């Protein structure tokens, strides 16, 4: 089969399509013929040599895909050859075929195309596990998502609005903020021209928001603490501006703030399977009801993976970027 190989750590140009061996499926796994794979920021870090795949995972990038079941391993009862599915992966999505534990496979949401479904597994599992399972965001609360026009941001806005939450976003252009507003964001803040802490305080009567989802890291950490309400929850997804910062701990103590961080990729298959099951139960009905829609910015052929990475790293996109084998 063909797959995108990281020929050496470096820039987008190190991504090359090569002929490689087909994946072998183990017991409890499913082999998917890939219709589309979606890019994630983690893929660019893996390409740079900063985020190696977990032990035993495919060496090829790609953390989510959609496609058709081509084979099933021993012990797999739910899925059969020919089923159209999407899946949360530990790697290997940038390829014509990928093997994945059956518990990380999801049906295509009702009303969504096979290709567009590739845009959902990673963002849905990330947002549901961090914002709802761990941060317990509830109806009537307030929620700030940084990078509201990203794949995670565009998904998080829609799901939170559907669940009765007041949504705040930051983004770096009026075009991106307009899309966030159209998706349901209540308060849209241009971080380049406005202090998000002051705006959050102004919009919440000085209280702050209940939950923040952040992938910016060091440069936002203290300001995030200042933007939280009593019993606020800050969830860290990444560190785009670095992982080391100086912090005043008083606000954590005074406001009973909870700070958490987690990734999906390093979790066990059993843990991922629990998240996937929760997503199917709680998120898939919202997609079927057209309360949450795919936001796909652009699709590239597999052979143009380098160009797709350049687009992602430019941050000019809104929503998800797909690769089509």
């Amino acid at each position: 089969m063909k797959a995108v190989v990281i020929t050496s750590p470096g820039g987008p140009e190190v991504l090359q399509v090569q002929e490689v061996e087909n994946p072998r499926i183990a017991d409890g796994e499913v082999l998917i013929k890939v219709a589309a794979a979606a890019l994630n920021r983690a893929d660019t870090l893996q390409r740079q040599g900063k985020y190696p795949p977990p032990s035993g995972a495919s060496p090829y990038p790609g953390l989510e895909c959609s496609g058709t079941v081509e084979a099933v391993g021993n012990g797999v009862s739910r899925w059969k050859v020919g089923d159209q599915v999407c899946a949360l992966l530990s790697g290997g999505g940038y390829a014509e075929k990928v093997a994945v534990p059956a518990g990380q496979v999801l049906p295509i949401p009702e009303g969504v195309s096979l290709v567009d479904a590739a845009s959902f597994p990673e963002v849905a599992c990330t947002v549901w596990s961090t914002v709802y399972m761990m941060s317990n965001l509830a109806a009537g609360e307030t929620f700030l998502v940084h990078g509201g026009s990203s794949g995670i941001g565009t998904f998080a806005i829609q799901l939170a609005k559907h669940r009765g939450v007041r949504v705040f976003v930051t983004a770096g252009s009026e075009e991106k903020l307009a899309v966030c507003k159209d998706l349901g964001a209540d308060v849209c803040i241009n971080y380049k021209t406005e202090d998000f802490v002051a705006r959050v305080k102004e919009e919440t009567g000085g209280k702050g928001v209940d939950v923040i989802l952040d992938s910016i890291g060091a440069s936002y950490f203290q300001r995030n603490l200042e933007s939280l309400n009593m019993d606020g929850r800050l969830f860290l997804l990444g560190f785009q501006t670095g992982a080391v910062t100086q912090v005043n701990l008083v606000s954590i103590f005074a406001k009973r703030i909870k700070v958490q961080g987690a990734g999906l990729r390093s979790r066990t298959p059993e843990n991922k399977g629990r998240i996937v099951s929760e997503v199917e139960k709680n998120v898939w009905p919202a997609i079927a009801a057209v309360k949450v829609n795919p936001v796909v910015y652009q699709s590239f052929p597999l052979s143009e993976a380098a160009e797709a990475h350049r687009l992602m790293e430019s941050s000019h996109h809104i929503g998800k970027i797909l690769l089509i084998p």
Side-chain angles (χ1 to χ4, degrees), residues 37-41 43-44 64 94 305 308-309 312 320-323:
L39 271 67
N40 288 277
R41 191 71 62 172
D43 304 343
T44 66
E64 57 189 338
Y94 291 21
H309 272 229
M312 170 157 272
K320 298 290 286 189
I321 301 166
L322 303 183
L323 289 176

Side-chain angles (χ1 to χ4, degrees), residues 200-223:
V200 165
K201 290 286 184 67
E202 178 190 328
E203 295 281 351
T204 58
K207 292 180 179 179
V209 294
D210 297 302
V211 174
I212 298 176
L213 187 62
D214 177 57
S215 57
I216 307 302
S219 67
Y220 275 20
F221 192 80
Q222 185 65 47
R223 288 191 281 167

Side-chain angles (χ1 to χ4, degrees), residues 32 50 53 55 80 93 99 103 107 156 161 181 185 187 192 213 218 224-225 227 231 240 248 256 303:
I32 297 172
K50 297 175 181 175
S55 176
K80 62 183 188 301
K161 283 306 296 178
K181 188 171 180 59
V187 179
K192 292 180 180 176
L213 187 62
N224 280 333
L225 298 180
S227 302
D231 296 306
Q240 288 180 32
N248 184 337
R256 299 189 296 270
S303 59

